[in-house]
PDB file of all heavy atoms in Angstrom:
ATOM      1  N   MET R 550      73.415 102.394  75.068  1.00 96.00           N
ATOM      2  CA  MET R 550      73.956 103.241  76.140  1.00 96.00           C
ATOM      3  C   MET R 550      75.351 103.690  75.770  1.00 96.00           C
ATOM      4  O   MET R 550      76.081 102.950  75.099  1.00 96.00           O
ATOM      5  CB  MET R 550      74.005 102.467  77.458  1.00 96.00           C
ATOM      6  CG  MET R 550      72.664 102.204  78.041  1.00 96.00           C
ATOM      7  SD  MET R 550      72.843 101.512  79.670  1.00 96.00           S
ATOM      8  CE  MET R 550      71.581 100.265  79.583  1.00 96.00           C
ATOM      9  N   GLN R 551      75.697 104.869  76.236  1.00 97.00           N
ATOM     10  CA  GLN R 551      77.041 105.413  76.042  1.00 97.00           C
ATOM     11  C   GLN R 551      77.724 105.490  77.396  1.00 97.00           C
ATOM     12  O   GLN R 551      77.114 105.981  78.356  1.00 97.00           O
ATOM     13  CB  GLN R 551      76.959 106.822  75.442  1.00 97.00           C
ATOM     14  CG  GLN R 551      76.309 106.890  74.085  1.00 97.00           C
ATOM     15  CD  GLN R 551      77.134 106.163  73.034  1.00 97.00           C
ATOM     16  OE1 GLN R 551      78.363 106.246  73.013  1.00 97.00           O
ATOM     17  NE2 GLN R 551      76.460 105.427  72.173  1.00 97.00           N
ATOM     18  N   PRO R 552      78.959 105.021  77.502  1.00 98.00           N
ATOM     19  CA  PRO R 552      79.667 105.155  78.779  1.00 98.00           C
ATOM     20  C   PRO R 552      79.776 106.632  79.176  1.00 98.00           C
ATOM     21  O   PRO R 552      79.926 107.500  78.316  1.00 98.00           O
ATOM     22  CB  PRO R 552      81.045 104.570  78.502  1.00 98.00           C
ATOM     23  CG  PRO R 552      80.864 103.685  77.313  1.00 98.00           C
ATOM     24  CD  PRO R 552      79.765 104.324  76.498  1.00 98.00           C
ATOM     25  N   ILE R 553      79.699 106.893  80.470  1.00 98.00           N
ATOM     26  CA  ILE R 553      79.887 108.253  80.972  1.00 98.00           C
ATOM     27  C   ILE R 553      81.335 108.483  81.367  1.00 98.00           C
ATOM     28  O   ILE R 553      81.740 109.607  81.650  1.00 98.00           O
ATOM     29  CB  ILE R 553      78.970 108.549  82.170  1.00 98.00           C
ATOM     30  CG1 ILE R 553      79.313 107.638  83.351  1.00 98.00           C
ATOM     31  CG2 ILE R 553      77.503 108.438  81.764  1.00 98.00           C
ATOM     32  CD1 ILE R 553      78.740 108.084  84.672  1.00 98.00           C
ATOM     33  N   GLY R 554      82.116 107.411  81.394  1.00 98.00           N
ATOM     34  CA  GLY R 554      83.517 107.508  81.774  1.00 98.00           C
ATOM     35  C   GLY R 554      84.155 106.132  81.815  1.00 98.00           C
ATOM     36  O   GLY R 554      83.583 105.147  81.334  1.00 98.00           O
ATOM     37  N   ARG R 555      85.354 106.089  82.404  1.00 98.00           N
ATOM     38  CA  ARG R 555      86.137 104.849  82.488  1.00 98.00           C
ATOM     39  C   ARG R 555      86.744 104.716  83.873  1.00 98.00           C
ATOM     40  O   ARG R 555      87.020 105.707  84.540  1.00 98.00           O
ATOM     41  CB  ARG R 555      87.281 104.849  81.472  1.00 98.00           C
ATOM     42  CG  ARG R 555      86.837 104.933  80.045  1.00 98.00           C
ATOM     43  CD  ARG R 555      87.022 103.614  79.353  1.00 98.00           C
ATOM     44  NE  ARG R 555      86.439 103.698  78.003  1.00 98.00           N
ATOM     45  CZ  ARG R 555      85.889 102.695  77.397  1.00 98.00           C
ATOM     46  NH1 ARG R 555      85.840 101.523  77.979  1.00 98.00           N
ATOM     47  NH2 ARG R 555      85.376 102.822  76.202  1.00 98.00           N
ATOM     48  N   VAL R 556      86.998 103.475  84.242  1.00 98.00           N
ATOM     49  CA  VAL R 556      87.692 103.182  85.492  1.00 98.00           C
ATOM     50  C   VAL R 556      89.192 103.245  85.233  1.00 98.00           C
ATOM     51  O   VAL R 556      89.679 102.738  84.217  1.00 98.00           O
ATOM     52  CB  VAL R 556      87.313 101.773  86.017  1.00 98.00           C
ATOM     53  CG1 VAL R 556      88.169 101.382  87.219  1.00 98.00           C
ATOM     54  CG2 VAL R 556      85.834 101.707  86.346  1.00 98.00           C
ATOM     55  N   ARG R 557      89.913 103.851  86.151  1.00 98.00           N
ATOM     56  CA  ARG R 557      91.380 103.823  86.140  1.00 98.00           C
ATOM     57  C   ARG R 557      91.801 103.125  87.424  1.00 98.00           C
ATOM     58  O   ARG R 557      91.422 103.534  88.521  1.00 98.00           O
ATOM     59  CB  ARG R 557      91.976 105.227  86.075  1.00 98.00           C
ATOM     60  CG  ARG R 557      91.658 105.941  84.791  1.00 98.00           C
ATOM     61  CD  ARG R 557      92.309 105.243  83.600  1.00 98.00           C
ATOM     62  NE  ARG R 557      91.768 105.737  82.349  1.00 98.00           N
ATOM     63  CZ  ARG R 557      91.450 104.966  81.325  1.00 98.00           C
ATOM     64  NH1 ARG R 557      91.623 103.663  81.387  1.00 98.00           N
ATOM     65  NH2 ARG R 557      90.960 105.482  80.224  1.00 98.00           N
ATOM     66  N   SER R 558      92.554 102.040  87.277  1.00 96.00           N
ATOM     67  CA  SER R 558      92.921 101.211  88.418  1.00 96.00           C
ATOM     68  C   SER R 558      94.249 100.528  88.168  1.00 96.00           C
ATOM     69  O   SER R 558      94.648 100.333  87.016  1.00 96.00           O
ATOM     70  CB  SER R 558      91.829 100.149  88.637  1.00 96.00           C
ATOM     71  OG  SER R 558      92.193  99.248  89.656  1.00 96.00           O
ATOM     72  N   THR R 559      94.909 100.124  89.236  1.00 92.00           N
ATOM     73  CA  THR R 559      96.125  99.329  89.095  1.00 92.00           C
ATOM     74  C   THR R 559      95.787  97.886  88.777  1.00 92.00           C
ATOM     75  O   THR R 559      96.639  97.140  88.306  1.00 92.00           O
ATOM     76  CB  THR R 559      96.969  99.378  90.383  1.00 92.00           C
ATOM     77  OG1 THR R 559      96.153  98.937  91.474  1.00 92.00           O
ATOM     78  CG2 THR R 559      97.473 100.789  90.658  1.00 92.00           C
ATOM     79  N   ARG R 560      94.537  97.494  89.017  1.00 91.00           N
ATOM     80  CA  ARG R 560      94.102  96.125  88.693  1.00 91.00           C
ATOM     81  C   ARG R 560      93.772  96.047  87.204  1.00 91.00           C
ATOM     82  O   ARG R 560      92.915  96.778  86.721  1.00 91.00           O
ATOM     83  CB  ARG R 560      92.862  95.732  89.491  1.00 91.00           C
ATOM     84  CG  ARG R 560      93.168  95.276  90.884  1.00 91.00           C
ATOM     85  CD  ARG R 560      92.673  93.834  91.088  1.00 91.00           C
ATOM     86  NE  ARG R 560      93.005  93.414  92.419  1.00 91.00           N
ATOM     87  CZ  ARG R 560      92.199  92.747  93.208  1.00 91.00           C
ATOM     88  NH1 ARG R 560      90.999  92.410  92.820  1.00 91.00           N
ATOM     89  NH2 ARG R 560      92.597  92.387  94.399  1.00 91.00           N
ATOM     90  N   THR R 561      94.429  95.128  86.538  1.00 93.00           N
ATOM     91  CA  THR R 561      94.193  94.948  85.105  1.00 93.00           C
ATOM     92  C   THR R 561      93.579  93.590  84.787  1.00 93.00           C
ATOM     93  O   THR R 561      93.242  93.324  83.640  1.00 93.00           O
ATOM     94  CB  THR R 561      95.507  95.103  84.319  1.00 93.00           C
ATOM     95  OG1 THR R 561      96.461  94.152  84.806  1.00 93.00           O
ATOM     96  CG2 THR R 561      96.066  96.524  84.469  1.00 93.00           C
ATOM     97  N   GLU R 562      93.459  92.745  85.798  1.00 89.00           N
ATOM     98  CA  GLU R 562      92.868  91.425  85.631  1.00 89.00           C
ATOM     99  C   GLU R 562      91.713  91.268  86.611  1.00 89.00           C
ATOM    100  O   GLU R 562      91.807  91.723  87.746  1.00 89.00           O
ATOM    101  CB  GLU R 562      93.906  90.321  85.894  1.00 89.00           C
ATOM    102  CG  GLU R 562      95.055  90.319  84.902  1.00 89.00           C
ATOM    103  CD  GLU R 562      94.626  89.970  83.489  1.00 89.00           C
ATOM    104  OE1 GLU R 562      93.723  89.124  83.319  1.00 89.00           O
ATOM    105  OE2 GLU R 562      95.194  90.557  82.555  1.00 89.00           O
ATOM    106  N   PRO R 563      90.643  90.582  86.215  1.00 84.00           N
ATOM    107  CA  PRO R 563      89.478  90.413  87.095  1.00 84.00           C
ATOM    108  C   PRO R 563      89.685  89.319  88.143  1.00 84.00           C
ATOM    109  O   PRO R 563      89.062  88.273  88.108  1.00 84.00           O
ATOM    110  CB  PRO R 563      88.359  90.060  86.120  1.00 84.00           C
ATOM    111  CG  PRO R 563      89.061  89.384  84.986  1.00 84.00           C
ATOM    112  CD  PRO R 563      90.408  90.052  84.880  1.00 84.00           C
ATOM    113  N   VAL R 564      90.578  89.571  89.082  1.00 80.00           N
ATOM    114  CA  VAL R 564      90.840  88.642  90.179  1.00 80.00           C
ATOM    115  C   VAL R 564      89.622  88.641  91.099  1.00 80.00           C
ATOM    116  O   VAL R 564      89.005  89.681  91.313  1.00 80.00           O
ATOM    117  CB  VAL R 564      92.105  89.078  90.956  1.00 80.00           C
ATOM    118  CG1 VAL R 564      92.430  88.096  92.058  1.00 80.00           C
ATOM    119  CG2 VAL R 564      93.279  89.234  90.006  1.00 80.00           C
ATOM    120  N   ASP R 565      89.284  87.485  91.653  1.00 76.00           N
ATOM    121  CA  ASP R 565      88.037  87.364  92.406  1.00 76.00           C
ATOM    122  C   ASP R 565      88.034  87.931  93.816  1.00 76.00           C
ATOM    123  O   ASP R 565      86.972  88.103  94.387  1.00 76.00           O
ATOM    124  CB  ASP R 565      87.611  85.894  92.481  1.00 76.00           C
ATOM    125  CG  ASP R 565      86.937  85.433  91.203  1.00 76.00           C
ATOM    126  OD1 ASP R 565      86.291  86.253  90.546  1.00 76.00           O
ATOM    127  OD2 ASP R 565      87.068  84.240  90.875  1.00 76.00           O
ATOM    128  N   ASP R 566      89.171  88.197  94.442  1.00 77.00           N
ATOM    129  CA  ASP R 566      89.155  88.559  95.849  1.00 77.00           C
ATOM    130  C   ASP R 566      89.941  89.824  96.173  1.00 77.00           C
ATOM    131  O   ASP R 566      90.698  90.339  95.358  1.00 77.00           O
ATOM    132  CB  ASP R 566      89.691  87.393  96.689  1.00 77.00           C
ATOM    133  CG  ASP R 566      88.739  86.208  96.688  1.00 77.00           C
ATOM    134  OD1 ASP R 566      87.527  86.427  96.811  1.00 77.00           O
ATOM    135  OD2 ASP R 566      89.214  85.068  96.554  1.00 77.00           O
ATOM    136  N   ASP R 567      89.751  90.307  97.416  1.00 81.00           N
ATOM    137  CA  ASP R 567      90.471  91.423  98.017  1.00 81.00           C
ATOM    138  C   ASP R 567      90.240  92.766  97.315  1.00 81.00           C
ATOM    139  O   ASP R 567      91.144  93.569  97.166  1.00 81.00           O
ATOM    140  CB  ASP R 567      91.974  91.104  98.094  1.00 81.00           C
ATOM    141  CG  ASP R 567      92.679  91.943  99.141  1.00 81.00           C
ATOM    142  OD1 ASP R 567      92.022  92.383 100.104  1.00 81.00           O
ATOM    143  OD2 ASP R 567      93.890  92.184  98.988  1.00 81.00           O
ATOM    144  N   TRP R 568      89.020  93.038  96.926  1.00 84.00           N
ATOM    145  CA  TRP R 568      88.711  94.286  96.212  1.00 84.00           C
ATOM    146  C   TRP R 568      88.703  95.505  97.116  1.00 84.00           C
ATOM    147  O   TRP R 568      88.887  96.629  96.636  1.00 84.00           O
ATOM    148  CB  TRP R 568      87.383  94.154  95.471  1.00 84.00           C
ATOM    149  CG  TRP R 568      87.523  93.330  94.238  1.00 84.00           C
ATOM    150  CD1 TRP R 568      87.197  92.015  94.094  1.00 84.00           C
ATOM    151  CD2 TRP R 568      88.038  93.747  92.975  1.00 84.00           C
ATOM    152  NE1 TRP R 568      87.470  91.590  92.814  1.00 84.00           N
ATOM    153  CE2 TRP R 568      87.995  92.630  92.102  1.00 84.00           C
ATOM    154  CE3 TRP R 568      88.537  94.943  92.494  1.00 84.00           C
ATOM    155  CZ2 TRP R 568      88.426  92.687  90.785  1.00 84.00           C
ATOM    156  CZ3 TRP R 568      88.962  95.012  91.165  1.00 84.00           C
ATOM    157  CH2 TRP R 568      88.910  93.881  90.334  1.00 84.00           C
ATOM    158  N   ASP R 569      88.488  95.335  98.427  1.00 82.00           N
ATOM    159  CA  ASP R 569      88.514  96.502  99.312  1.00 82.00           C
ATOM    160  C   ASP R 569      89.884  97.166  99.347  1.00 82.00           C
ATOM    161  O   ASP R 569      89.993  98.344  99.671  1.00 82.00           O
ATOM    162  CB  ASP R 569      88.122  96.116 100.746  1.00 82.00           C
ATOM    163  CG  ASP R 569      86.652  96.355 101.026  1.00 82.00           C
ATOM    164  OD1 ASP R 569      85.982  97.010 100.203  1.00 82.00           O
ATOM    165  OD2 ASP R 569      86.167  95.879 102.061  1.00 82.00           O
ATOM    166  N   ALA R 570      90.923  96.421  99.026  1.00 85.00           N
ATOM    167  CA  ALA R 570      92.275  96.973  99.043  1.00 85.00           C
ATOM    168  C   ALA R 570      92.551  97.847  97.819  1.00 85.00           C
ATOM    169  O   ALA R 570      93.587  98.499  97.744  1.00 85.00           O
ATOM    170  CB  ALA R 570      93.295  95.835  99.109  1.00 85.00           C
ATOM    171  N   VAL R 571      91.634  97.875  96.871  1.00 88.00           N
ATOM    172  CA  VAL R 571      91.855  98.584  95.605  1.00 88.00           C
ATOM    173  C   VAL R 571      91.268  99.989  95.668  1.00 88.00           C
ATOM    174  O   VAL R 571      90.088 100.168  95.923  1.00 88.00           O
ATOM    175  CB  VAL R 571      91.207  97.806  94.426  1.00 88.00           C
ATOM    176  CG1 VAL R 571      91.370  98.564  93.124  1.00 88.00           C
ATOM    177  CG2 VAL R 571      91.807  96.412  94.325  1.00 88.00           C
ATOM    178  N   GLU R 572      92.137 100.975  95.429  1.00 93.00           N
ATOM    179  CA  GLU R 572      91.671 102.344  95.220  1.00 93.00           C
ATOM    180  C   GLU R 572      91.720 102.587  93.719  1.00 93.00           C
ATOM    181  O   GLU R 572      92.701 102.258  93.060  1.00 93.00           O
ATOM    182  CB  GLU R 572      92.553 103.352  95.947  1.00 93.00           C
ATOM    183  CG  GLU R 572      92.334 103.371  97.432  1.00 93.00           C
ATOM    184  CD  GLU R 572      93.071 104.507  98.127  1.00 93.00           C
ATOM    185  OE1 GLU R 572      93.411 105.518  97.466  1.00 93.00           O
ATOM    186  OE2 GLU R 572      93.307 104.383  99.332  1.00 93.00           O
ATOM    187  N   SER R 573      90.656 103.126  93.191  1.00 97.00           N
ATOM    188  CA  SER R 573      90.609 103.415  91.763  1.00 97.00           C
ATOM    189  C   SER R 573      89.918 104.745  91.538  1.00 97.00           C
ATOM    190  O   SER R 573      89.442 105.384  92.477  1.00 97.00           O
ATOM    191  CB  SER R 573      89.922 102.271  91.000  1.00 97.00           C
ATOM    192  OG  SER R 573      88.667 101.982  91.547  1.00 97.00           O
ATOM    193  N   THR R 574      89.867 105.136  90.289  1.00 98.00           N
ATOM    194  CA  THR R 574      89.269 106.411  89.917  1.00 98.00           C
ATOM    195  C   THR R 574      88.264 106.177  88.808  1.00 98.00           C
ATOM    196  O   THR R 574      88.539 105.429  87.868  1.00 98.00           O
ATOM    197  CB  THR R 574      90.364 107.389  89.423  1.00 98.00           C
ATOM    198  OG1 THR R 574      91.359 107.503  90.438  1.00 98.00           O
ATOM    199  CG2 THR R 574      89.790 108.754  89.122  1.00 98.00           C
TER     200      THR R 574
END
């Protein structure tokens, strides 16, 4: 498979909680 794109986010570490607070692109 080839990626169709990438995530852009302020989160750089896979923290386990509070993901609803994250806006990403």
Side-chain angles (χ1 to χ4, degrees):
M550 289 188 222
Q551 298 295 319
I553 63 164
R555 299 253 174 212
V556 172
R557 295 295 167 223
S558 175
T559 56
R560 279 240 179 137
T561 58
E562 296 294 324
V564 183
D565 280 329
D566 291 317
D567 202 26
W568 284 100
D569 265 349
V571 177
E572 286 188 22
S573 53
T574 305

